[in-house]
Amino acid sequence: MVIFVGPVFFLLLNGSFQYGTKAGIAVALGILVSDIVCVVLCYYGLSSFLNVEGNKFWIGFAGSVILLILGINYLIKNAKITTDISINTRGLQTFFIKGFSVNFFNPFVFAVWIGVFQYGKSKYPEQGLLLAFLVAVLFGILTTDLLKVFLSRKLKKIISPRRLAIFLKVTGSILILLSIRLLYLVW
């Protein structure tokens, strides 16, 4: 589950690859906070809210629009490789918000968390054990996301501006396709 290749995977790789480790970590933290919000919502009865057809559609629609905008942005973005990366706090907040938004507005993330929560609840009926299970899953996700960030930095040594341009176009195209797929699935 934590190695899932979806929209946040490409956002995480692109952020860390093009803007450095700090940007990748900011995206990973945005994903983590989004997952924490999903867990809290599951705890307070999210599944009944998501089972309403109109809610599924609007959450999926919002996620589709976010993915579409990010995909178009990557398609038109100029490929540049910089060795001296300095991102101010405001720039890091943008990466955090991107990570949070792409993850939070994906209804499949909610479906996964509802499944994980229900499994944890059935396997660990005691509140303390359930909490430990959920924290362990969140820690696993954060760990693999940070691993992706640090491994993408290693790739930077072998990437040329031309390869980066191709990577951006592929990432943008994949995000647009995922946007269309998401919209199709909730339609």
Side-chain angles (χ1 to χ4, degrees):
M1 177 191 76
V2 297
I3 304 176
F4 177 70
V5 178
V8 292
F9 174 78
F10 292 103
L11 181 65
L12 189 66
L13 284 183
N14 187 61
S16 58
F17 186 76
Q18 196 166 19
Y19 296 100
T21 304
K22 287 182 182 179
I25 291 171
V27 171
L29 291 175
I31 294 166
L32 176 68
V33 170
S34 170
D35 284 339
I36 290 170
V37 170
C38 289
V39 169
V40 169
L41 290 173
C42 283
Y43 184 79
Y44 289 106
L46 173 70
S47 57
S48 61
F49 174 77
L50 284 180
N51 286 334
V52 176
E53 279 304 313
N55 294 343
K56 284 182 190 178
F57 173 78
W58 289 111
I59 291 170
F61 180 77
S64 179
V65 168
I66 290 169
L67 290 176
L68 181 65
I69 291 169
L70 285 172
I72 291 170
N73 182 37
Y74 287 143
L75 282 177
I76 61 175
K77 187 177 235 174
N78 289 331
K80 59 183 175 187
I81 298 177
T82 58
T83 54
D84 181 33
I85 300 172
S86 61
I87 298 176
N88 61 23
T89 306
R90 187 167 184 214
L92 290 177
Q93 289 171 349
T94 301
F95 286 102
F96 176 88
I97 290 168
K98 282 181 181 180
F100 181 91
S101 300
V102 167
N103 197 56
F104 187 76
F105 289 107
N106 185 344
F108 301 106
V109 170
F110 284 103
V112 167
W113 276 114
I114 288 170
V116 168
F117 186 80
Q118 292 302 325
Y119 171 79
K121 218 166 127 178
S122 68
K123 188 87 170 161
Y124 308 104
E126 190 179 309
Q127 290 288 46
L129 291 175
L130 175 62
L131 181 62
F133 168 74
L134 293 171
V135 167
V137 172
L138 287 166
F139 181 74
I141 291 171
L142 177 63
T143 302
T144 57
D145 284 350
L146 291 176
L147 186 62
K148 293 170 196 172
V149 168
F150 293 117
L151 288 176
S152 70
R153 189 176 65 181
K154 301 282 186 203
L155 288 175
K156 191 171 186 176
K157 296 174 185 173
I158 61 170
I159 297 296
S160 66
R162 183 176 179 276
R163 288 183 182 146
L164 178 60
I166 293 169
F167 177 75
L168 289 175
K169 302 295 183 229
V170 168
T171 301
S173 299
I174 290 171
L175 289 175
I176 290 171
L177 289 173
L178 288 170
S179 167
I180 293 167
R181 180 177 179 264
L182 178 58
L183 187 60
Y184 172 77
L185 290 173
V186 297
W187 195 269

